[in-house]
Amino acid sequence: MALPLLPGYKLRRNVGMDKSHATERKSGIAEMFLEQKPKPKYSEFPKAMGSAVPSWVAFDKQVLSFDAYLQDEVHDKRQENYRIRRYKILFYLEDDTIQVNEPEVKNSGFFQGTSIRRHRIPLPPPDYDQFYTMYHFNINIDVVFYGRTFKIYDCDAFTKNFLKKIGIKLNPPIQCPVDPYMKTRKETVECMQPLRPYESFNTLKKFLEYDRKVLRFFCLWDDSDSWFGDRRQLILHYFLSDDTIEIRELLPHNSGRDPAPLFLERRKLPKYGPPGVYQPGEVTDQMVLNVYHGYRVSRVHGYLFDPCKVGKLKQDFYKDSDLSVGTTINVWGRKVLLCDCDEFTKTYYKTKYGIENSTSISCKPPSPPKIERKIPPYTGFGSEEDSLRSCIGLLPIPRANVQEFNRFMKKDSYGNESNILRFFAKLMTRKRANEDRVFIISYFLSNNTISVFEPIEKNSGHTGGMFLKRMRVKRPGQEIFKSELSEYIQPEELYIGTKVNVNGYIFSLLSADEYTLKFMEKNTHWYPYSNLELALQKLKDEKPKSREIKQVFSVADCNLTKMVDYNTFRDILMNITVGKLTEQEFITIVRHYGVPEEPCSDANVLIAMAHEQFKKTMFEDFDGLISCCVYEDRKKKNVLPKQDIKRLCKSFKLHLADDLLESLLSEFEDNEGQINYKSFFSVLNWRKNKMPELVAISPLKERCEDVWTGMPSPIPSKYINYFKFLEDVYGLEAE
């Protein structure tokens, strides 16, 4: 029978089909397949009858459900002659298969479930060669399946609607007869009274709901009042499935206690414990009464549960409602404080009891009072740090300060970074013989040590040399024999103009070398006097006198060069600030506004220095250098670029410093950046072109302020551009 096309489906021509459509292809049916649209409603399926759509596609997952019963005869019982058994007949529209199921009825005495498995059922004889279809079913009819007659008395709404749409007139539903056995059994059960008071102890529901759900509290038991007692941390587990409690102990590392598996085994915890020792039978769930039937020849003993529970022992156990953070519970005579709980416990109490704010209590014991260690005073033997080690342990261990080691590795001298602050100082004394003595104070940043050196001067009456070897210098005014460690001079205490007490000798710092001045200007957080803005601010405070200050500088600059010498500039600024400006601040201003001097390079000195290096290393291969230059000179002009000659010098490993080599190349470089290599290397040949040896300059005290004699010059610049200074400080413009 051809099936109708269902709403929501459409046909289209197919290019290739699988094996399941081979039969349709042989019968001449067009090769087609479906494109499924949104699933149609049940009420629209019957409209598809008459289409060529396969039934297994049109009625996929559509089942007709009929309610039927079967009357079975009972031969071996006197109480009943028959039984009424109810069934569900399921007819699958997609392949006309039928399945019969019998719903389970409690205490029916039959094996129930699937009575007839799903398959196509043939019609009863004589039509056994045909099978049941949807047209064989209706309400209030009998159907015979394998000799068993089923009476259909009703069906569901979908089945009624489907049968009406395909044109089957439905019979009115009938009432299913009552099973006499089940009716009698129901009346018997309803009239049955229990022989004793029945009490339900069903905890299965609570177990299934709260199994593996445990509340966890962090507790504290303070047993410090008893002998050898202390504060012990515990974990309380409350099992919601049966209201039992388990307590475990948290043992800190090296506590000295034996680890026990449980502090309290899992059980119900009474609120008022310990209650004492009970007699057997006192603690029970049910009360049993011994019933006496009087004096008889044959004694009959009876027992009955007591519904009133007279004399039953009542015990109060802890519930989840009794536990909260901050509550103290009684654990068999031990007061345990609940200090905190986990996130699951907080969520549980918030959901069930509406408790949101649960302030946790610290379980950690209060820190014991710190006993101040009294260190004996310094004995004078060894350093203070090493002597202190003998007070810390029985076996003195050499002091190993990680911070000092890291500072040493960071501030040690490397490359051009010496990390040494050098100052030019003068000894402050009342002795006339020592008034003119000058010193060089070196401060080593790697370990905060100080060394003092006195330059040797002939016919001065002083030996000179090392005045103080490298060591840490204590600040003045400290006791020698004391318990605390001494304080030492720090680098920020040294700057130009200050006075330093070095082991009783007072030195006035007059100047510093270039590295020291740059270091102080770079670290202005240590040296505020090297901060240019702070120094100029003191001069900006005198802005009302700006016109007079300009006139003073104009008078000093008679030639209108916009520059004044160092001494004039110093006198003017010191008179303006009236002693507010320190020497370090003045040096900072001079370094910023000083006029740089034109460098005068002496080529002979440079060549002599190069000869000294070549003599030390015994380098004589100048002919090889010239040969390489001739090879590189492709144009045969006897000149090469500066970079090429520098590269060749590096390849021959000339032991010359980079700055010395750069100065030599600059002396022989022409306007086009070319160097005559033959003349250059001929001059450097110390065998053929001998130069007078350099005479070591004696490190005498500076008599001339513009010559370096091994000590820092007290004048950073000879002339100062006062015009730029006035413009930055007071905003004065040129006239």
Side-chain angles (χ1 to χ4, degrees):
M1 179 182 64
L3 298 178
L5 179 64
L6 300 181
Y9 292 83
K10 66 179 181 178
L11 295 174
R12 75 176 183 183
R13 186 73 59 181
N14 189 13
V15 178
M17 304 182 64
D18 53 9
K19 295 181 180 180
S20 61
H21 298 81
T23 306
E24 296 179 1
R25 186 169 61 252
K26 292 180 180 179
S27 60
I29 301 176
E31 300 176 5
M32 302 178 181
F33 71 100
L34 290 172
E35 280 188 354
Q36 187 174 359
K37 285 186 175 181
K39 192 174 182 180
K41 299 180 180 178
Y42 291 154
S43 59
E44 297 177 353
F45 276 109
K47 297 179 183 179
M49 304 300 292
S51 176
V53 181
S55 61
W56 63 272
V57 176
F59 300 112
D60 184 26
K61 298 182 181 179
Q62 307 302 319
V63 183
L64 303 181
S65 177
F66 298 94
D67 297 328
Y69 68 89
L70 176 66
Q71 181 175 341
D72 281 349
E73 296 182 358
V74 180
H75 302 282
D76 55 348
K77 284 192 177 182
R78 182 179 58 181
Q79 294 85 357
E80 54 182 350
N81 297 326
Y82 63 92
R83 295 284 297 274
I84 301 298
R85 303 177 65 176
R86 299 188 180 188
Y87 292 90
K88 279 282 187 181
I89 300 176
L90 303 177
F91 184 87
Y92 295 88
L93 296 173
E94 57 180 301
D95 53 359
D96 294 344
T97 55
I98 299 173
Q99 181 178 350
V100 181
N101 297 332
E102 182 180 5
E104 294 185 3
V105 180
K106 188 177 181 180
N107 295 327
S108 63
F110 295 105
F111 294 103
Q112 297 170 332
T114 302
S115 179
I116 301 176
R117 62 179 177 82
R118 179 180 172 180
H119 67 286
R120 298 184 68 184
I121 300 178
L123 294 174
D127 299 327
Y128 56 86
D129 57 340
Q130 300 179 13
F131 298 92
Y132 278 99
T133 63
M134 67 183 74
Y135 296 98
H136 292 94
F137 292 90
N138 203 335
I139 302 175
N140 198 8
I141 64 171
D142 295 338
V143 291
V144 180
F145 297 154
Y146 299 110
R148 304 180 69 184
T149 303
F150 295 87
K151 182 71 173 181
I152 300 176
Y153 63 89
D154 202 356
C155 62
D156 59 1
F158 170 76
T159 305
K160 292 179 181 179
N161 185 26
F162 185 86
L163 295 178
K164 288 179 182 180
K165 292 294 183 179
I166 64 177
I168 298 177
K169 184 178 180 181
L170 295 177
N171 300 326
I174 62 175
Q175 193 71 21
C176 179
V178 179
D179 186 8
Y181 171 76
M182 296 304 299
K183 180 179 179 181
T184 304
R185 181 169 180 78
K186 184 177 180 181
E187 294 175 355
T188 304
V189 171
E190 290 178 354
C191 297
M192 184 180 297
Q193 296 292 338
L195 299 179
R196 59 182 180 275
Y198 181 73
E199 220 177 322
S200 176
F201 292 99
N202 186 15
T203 59
L204 180 60
K205 179 181 178 181
K206 187 175 182 180
F207 174 79
L208 296 177
E209 183 178 359
Y210 294 108
D211 185 29
R212 296 189 180 185
K213 294 183 179 180
V214 182
L215 305 180
R216 183 170 64 169
F217 292 90
F218 302 97
C219 315
L220 176 65
W221 173 37
D222 191 358
D223 191 32
S224 56
D225 295 337
S226 61
W227 283 10
F228 308 107
D230 55 356
R231 297 163 64 96
R232 304 171 70 172
Q233 298 182 20
L234 309 173
I235 294 181
L236 185 144
H237 293 154
Y238 184 89
F239 297 87
L240 295 173
S241 59
D242 54 357
D243 299 329
T244 55
I245 291 177
E246 173 190 271
I247 300 179
R248 297 176 178 270
E249 183 177 5
L250 287 177
L251 293 178
H253 188 60
N254 294 332
S255 63
R257 298 182 180 275
D258 294 332
L262 291 174
F263 185 81
L264 176 69
E265 64 179 3
R266 181 176 176 180
R267 56 178 300 173
K268 288 188 176 183
L269 182 63
K271 293 183 179 180
Y272 310 102
V277 181
Y278 297 106
Q279 297 295 327
E282 282 189 279
V283 181
T284 180
D285 295 332
Q286 295 175 339
M287 301 297 295
V288 181
L289 300 178
N290 189 0
V291 181
Y292 178 67
H293 292 275
Y295 181 77
R296 296 182 182 179
V297 177
S298 59
R299 268 190 167 180
V300 178
H301 296 278
Y303 302 95
L304 181 67
F305 287 130
D306 184 8
C308 299
K309 300 180 180 179
V310 179
K312 181 181 179 181
L313 182 64
K314 294 183 179 180
Q315 287 183 306
D316 292 335
F317 298 97
Y318 280 105
K319 303 292 183 181
D320 56 349
S321 58
D322 301 325
L323 305 178
S324 62
V325 177
T327 304
T328 302
I329 62 174
N330 181 16
V331 181
W332 297 100
R334 297 168 179 83
K335 302 299 180 181
V336 177
L337 175 64
L338 306 183
C339 300
D340 200 359
C341 59
D342 59 0
E343 292 298 328
F344 171 76
T345 306
K346 293 179 182 178
T347 306
Y348 174 81
Y349 278 95
K350 181 180 179 181
T351 305
K352 187 173 182 180
Y353 298 105
I355 301 175
E356 296 185 2
N357 298 328
S358 55
T359 305
S360 59
I361 303 173
S362 178
C363 297
K364 296 182 179 179
S367 57
K370 187 176 182 181
I371 301 175
E372 185 179 358
R373 175 180 291 180
K374 295 183 179 180
I375 300 176
Y378 174 55
T379 59
F381 296 96
S383 64
E384 295 183 2
E385 291 78 5
D386 291 338
S387 179
L388 181 62
R389 304 299 297 181
S390 62
C391 302
I392 298 176
L394 295 177
L395 298 177
I397 302 175
R399 181 174 60 92
N401 196 327
V402 179
Q403 295 181 355
E404 292 184 1
F405 178 76
N406 294 336
R407 182 178 59 187
F408 174 80
M409 297 300 296
K410 184 178 180 182
K411 295 294 184 180
D412 192 21
S413 301
Y414 63 95
N416 295 329
E417 292 291 332
S418 64
N419 288 314
I420 302 175
L421 307 182
R422 293 183 176 89
F423 295 90
F424 180 41
K426 182 179 180 181
L427 181 63
M428 306 298 294
T429 179
R430 293 182 180 180
K431 296 181 180 180
R432 297 180 61 87
N434 297 331
E435 286 182 354
D436 296 334
R437 297 179 66 180
V438 293
F439 299 86
I440 296 177
I441 299 178
S442 301
Y443 191 95
F444 298 85
L445 298 175
S446 59
N447 54 1
N448 294 344
T449 55
I450 295 177
S451 68
V452 181
F453 179 83
E454 182 180 8
I456 300 174
E457 185 177 359
K458 294 182 180 181
N459 300 324
S460 63
H462 303 288
T463 307
M466 184 63 67
F467 183 81
L468 175 70
K469 68 176 183 179
R470 182 175 175 179
M471 62 180 298
R472 289 192 299 172
V473 178
K474 298 181 181 179
R475 291 176 180 173
Q478 301 184 73
E479 297 182 6
I480 299 178
F481 304 103
K482 61 183 185 301
S483 301
E484 298 80 11
L485 295 176
S486 298
E487 297 179 357
Y488 298 91
I489 296 178
Q490 299 300 318
E492 57 269 15
E493 300 178 17
L494 304 180
Y495 55 90
I496 299 175
T498 188
K499 295 181 180 180
V500 183
N501 190 335
V502 179
N503 296 339
Y505 294 92
I506 300 176
F507 294 92
S508 177
L509 305 185
L510 303 179
S511 63
D513 61 358
E514 184 68 18
Y515 175 82
T516 304
L517 293 175
K518 288 183 179 179
F519 179 83
M520 291 191 290
E521 292 173 357
K522 185 178 180 181
N523 299 276
T524 55
H525 57 284
W526 286 352
Y527 302 95
Y529 292 143
S530 296
N531 192 337
L532 181 63
E533 296 181 359
L534 297 179
L536 295 179
Q537 186 62 37
K538 293 183 179 181
L539 297 171
K540 291 180 181 179
D541 295 340
E542 307 295 335
K543 193 171 184 179
K545 305 178 183 178
S546 59
R547 292 296 176 183
E548 293 80 357
I549 295 172
K550 179 183 177 183
Q551 294 177 0
V552 172
F553 278 107
S554 300
V555 172
D557 185 16
C558 301
N559 300 326
L560 302 178
T561 60
K562 300 181 182 180
M563 296 184 299
V564 293
D565 59 75
Y566 174 85
N567 294 328
T568 304
F569 186 77
R570 184 181 186 282
D571 294 339
I572 295 174
L573 292 190
M574 291 302 176
N575 293 332
I576 292 173
T577 57
V578 194
K580 295 181 181 179
L581 197 67
T582 62
E583 290 292 337
Q584 181 68 44
E585 291 174 329
F586 176 74
I587 294 297
T588 303
I589 296 174
V590 172
R591 285 173 55 81
H592 185 73
Y593 294 101
V595 178
E597 300 178 5
E598 295 182 359
C600 55
S601 59
D602 191 354
N604 295 330
V605 175
L606 297 176
I607 295 173
M609 294 173 62
H611 285 187
E612 290 292 334
Q613 294 294 331
F614 293 147
K615 289 178 183 179
K616 292 180 181 179
T617 58
M618 296 301 293
F619 182 81
E620 299 178 356
D621 193 11
F622 295 100
D623 296 336
L625 276 170
I626 296 175
S627 300
C628 290
C629 292
V630 171
Y631 178 78
E632 294 288 340
D633 186 11
R634 305 296 183 182
K635 297 181 180 180
K636 306 300 180 181
K637 294 183 178 181
N638 295 331
V639 292
L640 285 176
K642 177 181 176 181
Q643 297 298 330
D644 293 347
I645 294 181
K646 187 176 181 180
R647 176 174 53 82
L648 291 174
C649 293
K650 293 290 185 181
S651 63
F652 274 77
K653 297 182 180 181
L654 294 182
H655 294 278
L656 295 178
D658 292 340
D659 53 353
L660 179 58
L661 179 61
E662 188 70 25
S663 301
L664 288 171
L665 293 174
S666 300
E667 289 292 334
F668 288 86
E669 185 180 9
D670 57 8
N671 297 332
E672 297 179 357
Q674 303 290 330
I675 297 175
N676 190 331
Y677 52 84
K678 291 185 178 181
S679 61
F680 176 71
F681 289 113
S682 297
V683 170
L684 294 182
N685 192 341
W686 57 278
R687 288 289 188 184
K688 298 179 180 180
N689 184 20
K690 295 185 179 181
M691 297 291 293
E693 296 183 359
L694 292 176
V695 179
I697 301 176
S698 177
L700 298 178
K701 183 176 63 175
E702 263 184 301
R703 300 303 181 184
C704 183
E705 297 173 346
D706 58 351
V707 178
W708 173 256
T709 59
M711 293 179 290
S713 173
I715 298 178
S717 180
K718 283 186 177 183
Y719 297 98
I720 294 90
N721 188 347
Y722 73 90
F723 182 78
K724 184 179 180 182
F725 166 76
L726 293 177
E727 186 178 359
D728 293 345
V729 177
Y730 302 110
L732 300 180
E733 298 179 356
E735 296 181 357

